[in-house]
Amino acid sequence: MKELRMTEGAPWKHTLRFAMPVLAGALLQQMYNTVDTIIAGNYAGQSALAAVGTTGTFSFLFLSIALGFSAGAGVIVSQRYGAKDMEGVRRSASTGILMLLGMGIVCTILAMALARPAFIYFINVPSVILDMSMTYFLIFSAGMVFQFAYNIFASLLRAVGDSAATLYFLLISAVVNVVLDILFVAVFRWGVAGTAIATVISQIAAAAAAYIYMTKKYPIFRFRLKEYTWSGLIAKQTLKIGFPISLQTAVVSIGLAFIQRAVNDFGETMTASYTVAMRIEMYLNLPGNAFQTTLATYTGQNIGAGRIDRVRKGLWQTFVMSLGVTLIISACIRLFSGGLIQLFGLEEDAAALCIRHLHTTAFTNLLLNAYFPVFGVFQGSNHGLPPAIIAVAVLATRVVVTYALRYSALFGLSIIWWNGLFGFGVGFIITWIYYFSGKWEKNSMIAH
């Protein structure tokens, strides 16, 4: 796979070519997460499934740091690459790698230290599954630094237009994870510990594959130990871009943690149902996430080349593709939700709740994918704060609505899945108003 320069030619061809491997990789990753849950539900029981699921929001809080700051480093590299500043690409990559590995070590320590009080007092994990949740999360946290490593390597590759490679790494990770899940959970009967160990080993495999490929394929990313250098200026730029992206993702995680707490208040049946529904619902969000990642790189390269006109054109073409793919996935979930849910081994009451959840979110999440790709334009143009602010507004709306209406006669517990209609509606309105204001363009051109 050659580097992909997105500064010439038809925008839709570049964004589609770049986005398809990203989307396929995200789909693959979500599929092995789904298999993870299926194996836990069928071989370790509904309680184990709920225990693994209830840790997800806290896990994602730390992952948001890896995603945000690796994306920030990727924007810096993509801009240097678009400007054909190869020495700048190398300096930015070195600083980004050192920064993300350091953050990964710190986050591993923090995650282990904060897990129990967070599960008890913040998320309100049901006592019957608390020990299983802790077992899973502590093992998962031990491999967190490898998530940070994988994300910075993948971000650097995407910055030079090589999105297809990440698909191969995720394929390796998925195969390893599924095989080890079957071995550790279905054969050895290690329960949630087996699921966590399989996840950690698969993360190590993905990080190792990404590093080997990156250093062999691209000499510019090949560093001897003494060649790693730290640039305070580049680190500051990375933090400036990456912090709003991390904040945006962290806000989502914190908001979902509040919703998870509301879910847990309804008992283990609701927690298990919600875990499965969220696993399937994530498929609805894949197009928006993939095209956001694409537009961040596309925008960064075109900003670096001084082609703001191509950014506007590329957004509209990408918007149509994102919404089209989402509609197809929504239709599939509506049609096949009953059969999908049966795979997870849910009990009858939990399965009934799960179907109601999915039939609703197949509709409400269309709103999310109708504005989320625009965040890539904001992020790729060094304008990452608006997405974070919008994310706060969206999650605040969802949380307030959930807690205000969860015992109401109109919604009751169904507000757990209807809250997206209110939150994503707010996000849609604010995002497009801000885009049409043109204010994001004022911060669009990097200083050469």
Side-chain angles (χ1 to χ4, degrees), residues 84 105 119 153 162 184 196 220 265 268 350 369 377 389 398:
K84 300 182 180 180
I105 294 171
F119 288 170
F153 299 152
D162 192 346
F184 295 160
I220 198 168
D265 287 345
E268 182 187 320
N369 286 279
V377 172
I389 294 172
R398 293 183 67 186

Side-chain angles (χ1 to χ4, degrees), residues 35 46 48 55 81-82 94 115 125 136 142 151 154 176 191 213 248 250 267 277 297 338 382 400 411 423 427:
V35 171
Q46 183 169 288
T55 66
Y81 185 75
S94 173
V125 174
Y136 177 86
N151 275 281
V176 171
Y213 175 89
Q248 171 200 335
T297 299
N382 295 352
V400 169
F411 284 101

